[in-house]
C-alpha cells in the first residue's frame, strides 16, 4: 500500500480558513493601492488643469545647448512671483469647474437611456412583480445598473480623449467639447478615467455570478478599445457599439434569471435585436454628421467610403429590421412600430443637414436630435412589452 502524494489528497479549503482570508485581504489591499494611485493621479491632473496656459513652461529639449555663463544676479522676491505661485495652486472653484466639465464629457443625456435599457431587460424577462420579494436580486440589479452607467460614462470620455489626441476633434467640428475648448486638459481626463475604471473593477468583484461578471467586463473592455482598435475598421465600430448597448438589455435580464447570461439573452432576444438595430441606425447617422472630421483624420467610416447619401440609405435597413421584429414578435401590438418614426425623422434631418446649401447652421441641432432619437426606440420596446397600453 503505497502512500498517495500529498497534492492528490489536498482538499478544498473552507471559505473561512485563515489561508483563504489572507488571500482575500491581499487582493483587497492591492485594489486599495490601485485606488490610491488613481486618486493621486487625479489630484496631479487637477493641478495641471488649474494652472493657466500662459504660466506653463514650453517643452524644452532633453539636452539644452549651453551658452556662455552669465553673471549670477540674486533674484529679489516680488509680489508678481508670489502671485504666480498662488495661481498655480488649484482653488476650490477650479476643482468644481473641472468636475463640471468631466460630467459634461460623460454625455449625461445618455445615462437615463442606459438605465432604462437595464429595466427593459428585467421587465422583458420575468417582470417586476416578484422583484421586491428578493432583496438580494434587488441589490444585484442596483449594482449592475451602476456598472452599466459607469461603462456608458467612461466610453464617452475615452472616445473624446482619443478623438482629441488623434486630432479628430477640432474647432470646426466639435468646438464645444471640453478638450477642444481647453477647459480641461488631457492629464485631468486621464486621471479621472483611472479612478472610474478602478471603481468599476472594484464593483465587478461584488457581482454574484462569473458569467455576468465576465459579460460586464468584456462590454467595458470593448468600449475602452473602441477608439483605438474598432473605430478605424469600417462598419465594425458601428456593430460593436450596437452590440454593447443591446447587451444592457441582456444584462438586466440575466440578473433576474439567476445570474445566467445565456438564460437572460434567451428570454429577451427580440428586444435585444430591436435595440441592436435601432442603435446601429443611430450610429450610422452620427457618422454621416461627422463625415468631414473623420475624412480629415483619415478614419474610414461608412459615409466616408460610400458617401453620405448611400450611407443614409444603408442606415434605413436596420430600422426596417427593427420594425419587422416588433411586428412579427407580437402582431397584436403593431402600434409599437409607430415611435420608430422619431428615428426616421432624425434620418430625414440628417439628410437635410448634409445638403451644402440648406444644411448650414443646422448641424448642431441635428446632432442633438440624432443623439435623442433612441427615445423612439425605447418607446417602441416599452409598447411591445405592453407598458403604456
Amino acid at each position: 500500500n503505497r502512500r498517495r502524494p500529498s497534492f492528490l489528497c489536498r482538499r478544498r479549503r473552507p471559505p473561512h480558513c485563515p489561508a483563504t482570508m489572507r488571500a482575500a485581504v491581499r487582493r483587497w489591499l492591492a485594489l486599495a493601492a490601485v485606488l490610491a494611485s488613481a486618486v493621486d493621479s487625479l489630484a496631479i491632473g487637477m493641478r495641471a488643469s488649474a494652472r493657466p496656459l500662459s504660466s506653463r513652461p514650453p517643452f524644452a529639449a532633453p539636452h539644452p545647448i549651453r551658452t556662455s555663463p552669465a553673471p549670477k544676479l540674486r533674484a529679489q522676491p516680488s509680489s508678481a512671483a508670489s502671485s504666480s505661485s498662488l495661481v498655480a495652486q488649484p482653488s476650490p472653484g477650479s476643482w468644481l469647474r473641472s468636475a463640471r466639465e468631466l460630467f459634461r464629457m460623460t454625455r449625461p443625456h445618455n445615462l437615463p437611456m442606459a438605465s432604462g435599457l437595464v429595466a427593459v431587460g428585467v421587465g422583458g424577462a420575468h417582470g417586476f412583480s416578484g422583484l421586491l420579494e428578493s432583496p438580494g436580486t434587488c441589490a444585484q440589479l442596483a449594482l449592475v445598473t451602476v456598472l452599466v452607467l459607469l461603462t456608458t460614462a467612461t466610453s464617452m470620455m475615452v472616445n473624446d480623449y482619443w478623438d482629441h489626441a488623434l486630432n479628430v476633434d477640432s474647432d470646426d467640428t466639435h468646438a464645444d467639447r471640453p478638450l477642444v475648448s481647453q477647459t480641461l486638459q488631457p492629464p485631468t481626463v486621464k486621471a479621472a478615467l483611472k479612478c472610474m475604471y478602478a471603481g468599476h473593477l472594484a464593483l465587478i468583484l461584488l457581482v454574484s455570478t462569473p458569467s455576468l461578471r465576465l459579460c460586464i467586463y468584456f462590454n467595458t473592455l470593448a468600449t475602452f478599445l473602441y477608439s483605438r482598435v474598432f473605430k478605424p475598421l469600417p462598419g465594425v465600430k458601428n456593430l460593436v457599439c450596437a452590440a454593447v448597448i443591446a447587451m444592457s438589455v441582456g444584462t438586466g435580464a440575466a440578473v433576474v434569471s439567476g445570474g445566467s447570461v445565456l438564460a437572460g439573452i434567451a428570454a429577451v432576444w427580440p428586444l435585444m435585436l430591436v435595440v441592436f438595430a435601432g442603435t446601429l441606425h443611430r450610429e450610422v447617422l452620427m457618422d454621416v454628421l461627422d463625415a468631414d472630421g473623420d475624412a480629415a483624420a483619415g478614419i474610414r467610416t461608412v459615409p466616408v467610403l460610400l458617401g453620405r447619401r448611400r450611407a443614409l440609405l444603408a442606415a434605413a435597413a436596420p430600422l426596417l429590421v427593427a420594425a419587422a421584429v416588433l411586428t412579427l414578435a407580437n402582431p397584436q401590438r403593431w402600434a409599437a412600430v409607430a415611435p420608430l418614426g422619431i428615428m426616421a425623422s432624425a434620418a430625414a434631418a440628417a439628410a437635410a443637414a448634409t445638403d451644402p446649401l440648406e444644411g448650414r447652421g443646422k448641424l448642431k441641432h441635428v446632432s442633438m436630435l440624432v443623439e435623442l432619437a433612441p427615445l423612439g426606440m425605447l418607446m417602441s420596446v416599452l409598447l411591445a412589452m405592453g407598458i403604456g397600453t
Side-chain angles (χ1 to χ4, degrees), residues 2-44:
R2 297 181 61 185
R3 187 175 181 181
R4 299 178 65 189
S6 60
F7 66 89
L8 295 178
C9 303
R10 188 177 300 168
R11 296 181 179 179
R12 187 178 180 181
R13 293 173 178 172
H16 300 292
C17 73
T20 304
M21 296 181 67
R22 284 196 298 269
V25 169
R26 284 196 297 268
R27 285 196 297 268
W28 282 105
L29 287 177
L31 182 61
V34 172
L35 287 173
S37 176
V39 172
D40 189 25
S41 300
L42 179 61
I44 295 174

Side-chain angles (χ1 to χ4, degrees), residues 311-330:
L312 287 172
L313 292 177
L319 200 61
L320 294 176
V321 170
V325 171
L326 286 173
T327 305
L328 296 177
N330 198 342

Side-chain angles (χ1 to χ4, degrees), residues 253-268:
V255 173
V256 295
S257 300
S260 174
V261 176
L262 294 179
I265 293 176
V268 294

Side-chain angles (χ1 to χ4, degrees), residues 104 107 159-160 163 169 174-182:
R104 193 162 68 90
R107 313 283 209 286
N159 181 66
D160 285 0
D163 282 351
D169 292 344
H174 297 285
D176 58 335
R177 291 188 175 178
L179 288 175
V180 178
S181 60
Q182 296 186 355

Side-chain angles (χ1 to χ4, degrees), residues 22-378:
R22 284 196 298 269
V25 169
R26 284 196 297 268
R27 285 196 297 268
W28 282 105
L29 287 177
L31 182 61
V34 172
L35 287 173
S37 176
V39 172
D40 189 25
S41 300
L42 179 61
I44 295 174
M46 289 292 186
R47 287 195 292 269
S49 180
R51 187 181 302 173
L53 294 176
S54 59
S55 64
R56 294 176 191 169
F59 292 101
H63 300 287
I65 301 175
R66 294 183 179 272
T67 58
S68 58
K72 296 183 179 180
L73 299 177
R74 182 173 298 177
Q76 298 295 331
S78 60
S79 58
S82 60
S83 61
S84 63
S85 63
L86 292 176
V87 171
Q89 298 297 327
S91 62
S94 64
W95 284 78
L96 292 177
R97 185 168 52 254
S98 299
R100 193 186 310 115
E101 294 298 328
L102 287 172
F103 180 71
R104 193 162 68 90
M105 285 186 66
T106 62
R107 313 283 209 286
H109 57 272
N110 289 328
L111 300 181
M113 174 69 68
S115 57
L117 291 177
V118 177
V120 164
V122 174
H126 298 286
F128 298 93
S129 57
L131 189 61
L132 297 178
E133 299 176 0
S134 177
T137 305
C138 290
Q140 284 293 309
L141 180 60
L143 175 63
V144 167
T145 304
V146 171
L147 287 170
V148 170
L149 292 177
L150 276 175
T151 301
T152 305
T154 52
S155 66
M156 302 299 174
M157 295 176 65
V158 167
N159 181 66
D160 285 0
Y161 177 84
W162 285 115
D163 282 351
H164 175 72
L166 299 175
N167 295 324
V168 176
D169 292 344
S170 62
D171 294 333
D172 298 330
T173 56
H174 297 285
D176 58 335
R177 291 188 175 178
L179 288 175
V180 178
S181 60
Q182 296 186 355
T183 55
L184 275 180
Q185 299 302 317
T188 306
V189 180
K190 190 174 182 180
L193 284 171
K194 285 182 179 181
C195 293
M196 296 174 71
Y197 280 125
H200 191 279
L201 292 176
L203 292 177
I204 280 182
L205 299 176
L206 303 178
V207 177
S208 58
T209 59
S211 62
L212 187 56
R213 203 177 302 144
L214 288 174
C215 177
I216 298 173
Y217 173 76
F218 281 114
N219 281 346
T220 308
L221 182 62
T223 60
F224 179 77
L225 299 175
Y226 172 81
S227 298
R228 294 300 302 271
V229 178
F230 301 119
K231 199 169 185 177
L233 303 177
V236 175
K237 77 182 196 70
N238 306 110
L239 295 173
V240 170
C241 185
V244 169
I245 294 177
M247 276 306 300
S248 300
V249 181
T251 302
V255 173
V256 295
S257 300
S260 174
V261 176
L262 294 179
I265 293 176
V268 294
W269 69 266
L271 300 178
M272 292 182 62
L273 187 57
V274 171
V275 173
F276 175 83
T279 306
L280 184 60
H281 169 77
R282 194 272 302 265
E283 289 299 313
V284 176
L285 290 186
M286 294 182 68
D287 285 346
V288 169
L289 298 177
D290 295 338
D292 293 336
D294 291 338
I299 299 177
R300 299 178 300 167
T301 59
V302 174
V304 172
L305 295 178
L306 302 180
R308 291 177 173 177
R309 296 294 181 181
R310 293 179 181 178
L312 287 172
L313 292 177
L319 200 61
L320 294 176
V321 170
V325 171
L326 286 173
T327 305
L328 296 177
N330 198 342
Q332 289 79 16
R333 293 173 180 162
W334 56 268
V337 183
L340 293 179
I342 300 177
M343 305 191 73
S345 64
T354 56
D355 193 294
L357 297 178
E358 300 179 0
R360 295 179 180 178
K362 299 180 180 179
L363 191 59
K364 182 178 180 180
H365 302 287
V366 173
S367 300
M368 183 60 66
L369 178 61
V370 171
E371 290 188 2
L372 295 178
L375 290 176
M377 175 187 64
L378 184 59

